[in-house]
Amino acid sequence: MVKSIISMVLLSVSAFLAFKHGWDTFNFKKHPEAMKMMGKLGINETMIPVFGGGTLLVGILLLFPKTFFLGNVLNAMSIVIIMALAMRAGNFKMVLLEIPFLMMPLVLIWLKYPFLKN
């Protein structure tokens, strides 16, 4: 029971963050500081919609039991890519800030989808 509640909370937070970051990525021109940060990471303007679409896809995949695992794997991979780009740019503070967000999909994989009867 407790495991399902923790999984449900983490799933809700993870899906919310995926949709929020995906939406913000598509509206990057309204956020010049985000554009500056992406530029420092080496992400050019033509790649930004790809990252936004991927992030929205992760949010959708997380919501369904059959694609829950794939959504979490893609989420973890995208976070590792961001961490690698930040390391290449020399932004180790960002790398350290991403560690809890990397742990979230890995813990969700371990906890499994919260709305299934075992």
Side-chain angles (χ1 to χ4, degrees):
M1 177 69 174
V2 173
K3 186 177 168 183
S4 293
I5 292 171
I6 293 169
S7 181
M8 185 174 56
V9 169
L10 285 176
L11 174 61
S12 300
V13 169
S14 192
F16 171 77
L17 287 173
F19 288 123
K20 181 188 178 310
H21 288 142
W23 182 258
D24 288 347
T25 303
F26 280 117
N27 295 309
F28 68 94
K29 292 187 180 185
K30 295 179 184 175
H31 307 285
E33 64 279 352
M35 186 62 187
K36 202 183 307 182
M37 180 200 62
M38 287 186 225
K40 288 179 183 177
L41 294 178
I43 301 171
N44 60 17
E45 198 169 327
T46 58
M47 286 302 295
I48 292 174
V50 173
F51 279 101
T55 306
L56 288 174
L57 177 65
V58 164
I60 293 168
L61 291 174
L62 288 174
L63 298 176
F64 300 101
K66 291 186 178 186
T67 59
F68 177 76
F69 176 75
L70 178 62
N72 279 303
V73 169
L74 291 174
N75 195 9
M77 287 173 48
S78 68
I79 293 168
V80 169
I81 290 170
I82 291 168
M83 291 171 78
L85 291 172
M87 286 180 82
R88 185 177 70 177
N91 190 345
F92 295 102
K93 183 179 177 183
M94 180 185 282
V95 174
L96 294 174
L97 287 173
E98 290 292 328
I99 291 172
F101 297 106
L102 176 60
M103 293 305 297
M104 199 166 11
L106 301 177
V107 169
L108 273 168
I109 290 170
W110 176 65
L111 291 173
K112 298 188 178 44
Y113 193 75
F115 303 113
L116 292 178
K117 299 269 186 199
N118 291 337

